[in-house]
Amino acid sequence: MQDSPHNEFDLIDTYFKNLTSARADVELGIGDDAALVTVPANHSLVITTDTLVPGVHFPVATAPFDIGYKALAVNLSDLAAMGAQPAWISLALTLPAVDTAWLHDFTQGMSQLAKAYQVQLIGGDTTRGALSITLQAFGFVPVHHALRRDGAKAGDKIYVSGTLGDAGLGLRIALQKPDDLQDPAKQIILQRLNRPTPRIELGLLLRGLATSAIDISDGLLADLNHILQKSEVGAHIETKNLPLSPPLQALPSEDAQQLALTAGDDYELCFTVSPEKEPELLEKLTTIQLACHCIGEIQAEQGIRLSGFTGNLTAWGFQHFAEP
Ligand code: ADP
Ligand code: MG
């Protein structure tokens, strides 16, 4: 057991200083007024920030390990969607009080994922207030090789990674009475909500292949729509081709399809590829352990057309400031 930290500086030394492994490109990490890092030659620096607020981005009862894990996962997911190689993170943490057990678990969750991707925590800020976790992630990509939202063209095929709607089902389960949460099937689905896997390898593989990409944080339709708007195109989606995990397949099909189309938090990638590059994509995809499925096609006519969906879509996805 470590001693309880006595002040903000002890806290930083105890919990944040050695949270991650050291990288050679970090000249100066935690402990000075700012960090110093070296971006490789001929690469763009890719920068993203995401904030997690309890009750909005995770159920209030979420385990602190999972909060730490997810805070990093959602930021790495943004880097993945840009085709970036992750390198550094900085953490702005607002805490109501110094709860050492909470801090231990939170930093362990973050550390587990950071070490898996050789990401180093290089700085941050610690303040008192209502719990809020803001993480900034930095990565790099060869100049002009980032995956963007604005490159989709009519005729491109639309792909998604993994399966869709799992986190949405996980949220339903998490908000139910915790009767049999130990059920292994429920645990798998809850993991999809609480410990999303950033699709870094896929993002790297898609460099020079995909014409556009986005990570699905707010729901497939809502996020695909961002690609369509930026690219000034439309899409046709074949609902029966949406990849569903066994727990989703066990639901009434309209319910499962609705989750797959509109539920957020899956952090899968949605991307487009030209028909000419599709064979190369399919060949390269055999080198990673992640299935990707074609779910439709980009069209010149704007808007989204769904085939095979008989349900009633009330909303497209999660919005923080949507009108009631
Ligand atoms: P300053 O007052 O100069 O802004 P701080 O006292 O806030 O510095 O932080 C001291 C050092 O600890 C800095 O290098 C800062 O980046 C780091 N730090 C503070 N909070 C965190 C945190 N939550 N995670 C990682 N590093 C942190
Ligand atoms: Mg400060």
Side-chain angles (χ1 to χ4, degrees):
M1 275 298 283
Q2 280 159 322
D3 290 337
S4 294
H6 299 295
N7 60 38
E8 180 191 334
F9 303 105
D10 285 353
L11 193 140
I12 292 164
D13 277 352
T14 307
Y15 294 104
F16 301 116
K17 214 163 192 171
N18 300 309
L19 184 135
T20 50
S21 38
R23 290 177 59 96
D25 53 15
V26 177
E27 195 181 321
L28 195 54
I30 291 174
D32 210 308
D33 292 310
L36 296 173
V37 296
T38 311
V39 179
N42 305 315
H43 284 66
S44 299
L45 181 61
V46 185
I47 305 167
T48 183
T49 306
D50 261 312
T51 294
L52 269 69
V53 173
V56 179
H57 300 99
F58 55 88
V60 175
T62 304
F65 185 99
D66 291 341
I67 300 171
Y69 193 104
K70 188 166 182 174
L72 179 52
V74 303
N75 277 277
L76 294 185
S77 175
D78 281 323
L79 293 184
M82 298 299 293
Q85 177 73 54
W88 317 295
I89 51 175
S90 105
L91 169 66
L93 191 58
T94 306
L95 298 169
V98 176
D99 175 342
T100 53
W102 190 95
L103 272 166
H104 174 267
D105 290 359
F106 171 83
T107 47
Q108 286 301 305
M110 189 166 285
S111 173
Q112 181 174 315
L113 192 59
K115 285 180 176 158
Y117 291 97
Q118 290 93 49
V119 168
Q120 184 172 346
L121 179 66
I122 54 169
D125 200 15
T126 308
T127 54
R128 185 186 294 265
L131 179 62
S132 161
I133 301 124
T134 297
L135 214 106
Q136 201 161 18
F138 307 84
F140 26 80
V141 63
V143 172
H144 303 313
H145 280 69
L147 306 173
R148 302 164 47 133
R149 298 178 178 183
D150 58 5
K153 300 266 183 307
D156 286 356
K157 298 289 167 47
I158 304 170
Y159 276 78
V160 292
S161 63
T163 54
L164 300 178
D166 295 332
L169 180 59
L171 183 60
R172 265 189 211 170
I173 293 170
L175 297 177
Q176 282 167 3
K177 286 199 208 90
D179 46 2
D180 58 344
L181 285 185
Q182 296 317 313
D183 171 354
K186 284 192 178 169
Q187 279 302 318
I188 290 170
I189 280 292
L190 283 169
Q191 288 268 86
R192 291 277 287 154
L193 174 70
N194 292 325
R195 298 189 199 173
T197 305
R199 301 306 190 185
I200 297 292
E201 294 85 355
L202 177 60
L204 296 176
L205 177 152
L206 292 177
R207 284 178 184 171
L209 270 178
T211 51
S212 71
I214 192 167
D215 67 324
I216 304 175
S217 54
D218 295 333
L220 172 67
L221 293 182
D223 288 315
L224 171 63
N225 197 45
H226 293 309
I227 288 183
L228 303 181
Q229 301 264 317
K230 290 275 181 201
S231 303
E232 298 180 27
V233 289
H236 170 248
I237 300 294
E238 189 62 65
T239 309
K240 71 171 190 319
N241 291 348
L242 296 173
L244 303 178
S245 65
L248 269 277
Q249 289 171 21
L251 296 176
S253 80
E254 273 179 19
D255 190 21
Q257 289 178 353
Q258 172 111 18
L259 281 171
L261 288 167
T262 65
D265 266 2
D266 281 323
Y267 298 98
E268 296 296 345
L269 296 188
C270 175
F271 56 94
T272 56
V273 62
S274 69
E276 298 75 48
K277 293 256 172 126
E278 196 181 20
E280 187 184 343
L281 168 77
L282 293 174
E283 196 189 311
K284 285 203 171 146
L285 283 176
T286 62
T287 64
I288 61 169
Q289 302 291 322
L290 175 63
C292 293
H293 292 92
C294 180
I295 58 161
E297 198 179 285
I298 297 292
Q299 298 177 331
E301 188 192 340
Q302 302 211 354
I304 300 181
R305 288 155 290 281
L306 290 177
S307 286
F309 181 65
T310 49
N312 183 22
L313 282 183
T314 48
W316 266 21
F318 187 79
Q319 292 180 1
H320 285 274
F321 298 104
E323 297 291 332

